[in-house]
Amino acid sequence: MHHTPSGGAGSSGTAAAGGELVSIGTVLSLLRDEFPEVTISKIRFLESEGLVEPQRTPSGYRKFSTEDVERLAGVLRMQRDHYLPLKVIREHLDAVARGEDVQLPAPASPPKEFLDGVQDPSGEHPTAARIGRDELLAATEVDESELADWEAYGLLAPASDGGYGIEAVAVAKLVAELGRFGLEARHLRAVKAAAEREAGLIEQVVAPLKRHRNPQTRAHAEATARELATLSVRLHAALVQAALHVRLP
């Protein structure tokens, strides 16, 4: 099953040169230069999904080859640069293993199917395309009962026309990914509540600007809200990491 995925692994996979087998901790160090968000849990999850098959010692410890590291880097790059779900990545790797000449789509920002370049009637702002329920289920690789559970706990909701915008799609994909680690919708209520409190705080900061008559000032309010949201997410991530460091030194 092992081979280098199309697109190459770049520098991430070459640090284990020499053919020696390395531990999962070493793999994490090798990958983090390019993928700072990767974790040991993520590597284990990719293994459980059949995307990499490290060797095992008699004691059960994982041992990764250079090819394994290159493969992991390729998988992570396909997720990051091409926004491909694991099912599609697996099919791509299987096709390459069969010797088929397959090409990945060009690297992109948000998935093309989730964005719409058509402008709204005012001609001022692009509007995000909506996708249907079936498309959302396919994109997140979950079933109807799981999606209904997310909605019951308020993690996402369809728009008035029954479709889902890009924000809802992003939330759904993250909830699905967390679900594969055993976190259910009920576990994420606190995260939802914290996000709503942060959004309320940002709204308080920009409210005076949004009420201004000057269009440029209102536009500045939107830009300020986006910047504050980015900083808030970074702070949240840093606080979680700090808390984990205290609890899991």
Side-chain angles (χ1 to χ4, degrees):
M1 167 175 184
H2 297 305
H3 57 83
T4 302
S6 175
S11 59
S12 298
T14 61
E20 73 276 12
L21 299 178
V22 297
S23 68
I24 193 169
T26 301
V27 173
L28 183 66
S29 299
L30 295 174
L31 293 173
R32 271 195 163 163
D33 281 346
E34 183 177 355
F35 309 100
E37 75 287 352
V38 73
T39 63
I40 285 179
S41 294
K42 175 73 171 182
I43 295 172
R44 288 173 177 163
F45 170 65
L46 293 176
E47 178 190 357
S48 72
E49 291 292 305
L51 290 163
V52 65
E53 293 180 352
Q55 298 181 36
R56 294 275 187 163
T57 68
S59 301
Y61 291 103
R62 296 171 177 83
K63 289 295 181 179
F64 295 80
S65 66
T66 300
E67 191 175 13
D68 291 328
V69 180
E70 291 175 346
R71 184 178 176 90
L72 283 168
V75 170
L76 293 170
R77 192 171 293 110
M78 281 186 272
Q79 284 188 304
R80 181 194 65 195
D81 297 345
H82 301 271
Y83 290 87
L84 297 178
L86 293 181
K87 179 180 179 182
V88 175
I89 292 174
R90 190 183 303 109
E91 291 173 350
H92 172 81
L93 294 176
D94 289 345
V96 172
R98 293 192 297 268
E100 299 177 14
D101 184 16
V102 291
Q103 298 295 323
L104 288 169
S109 292
K112 182 179 179 182
E113 63 269 27
F114 297 153
L115 289 178
D116 181 344
V118 179
Q119 292 193 333
D120 67 11
S122 70
E124 294 179 355
H125 304 292
T127 57
R130 299 197 188 284
I131 65 172
R133 196 174 188 84
D134 290 342
E135 292 172 294
L136 183 63
L137 291 171
T140 54
E141 301 180 24
V142 300
D143 58 33
E144 174 64 35
S145 64
E146 288 179 277
L147 179 55
D149 197 34
W150 300 349
E151 292 176 334
Y153 281 97
L155 296 175
L156 76 160
S160 57
D161 61 2
Y164 297 85
I166 188 170
E167 294 87 358
V169 172
V171 169
K173 286 197 166 191
L174 290 169
V175 172
E177 192 76 11
L178 288 167
R180 295 182 180 106
F181 287 91
L183 290 173
E184 301 175 6
R186 59 190 175 88
H187 299 135
L188 302 177
R189 287 180 296 180
V191 179
K192 168 72 171 176
E196 290 178 344
R197 288 195 296 270
E198 292 172 16
L201 180 61
I202 293 171
E203 287 179 352
Q204 290 180 28
V205 173
V206 301
L209 297 175
K210 291 176 69 175
R211 290 194 296 265
H212 206 280
R213 293 183 179 180
N214 189 325
Q216 291 183 339
T217 303
R218 293 198 299 271
H220 177 62
E222 294 180 7
T224 300
R226 288 194 296 270
E227 184 175 359
L228 288 172
T230 300
L231 292 172
S232 177
V233 169
R234 290 172 59 188
L235 175 60
H236 181 86
L239 289 172
V240 171
Q241 291 288 348
L244 287 174
H245 180 73
V246 171
R247 298 178 188 184
L248 303 171

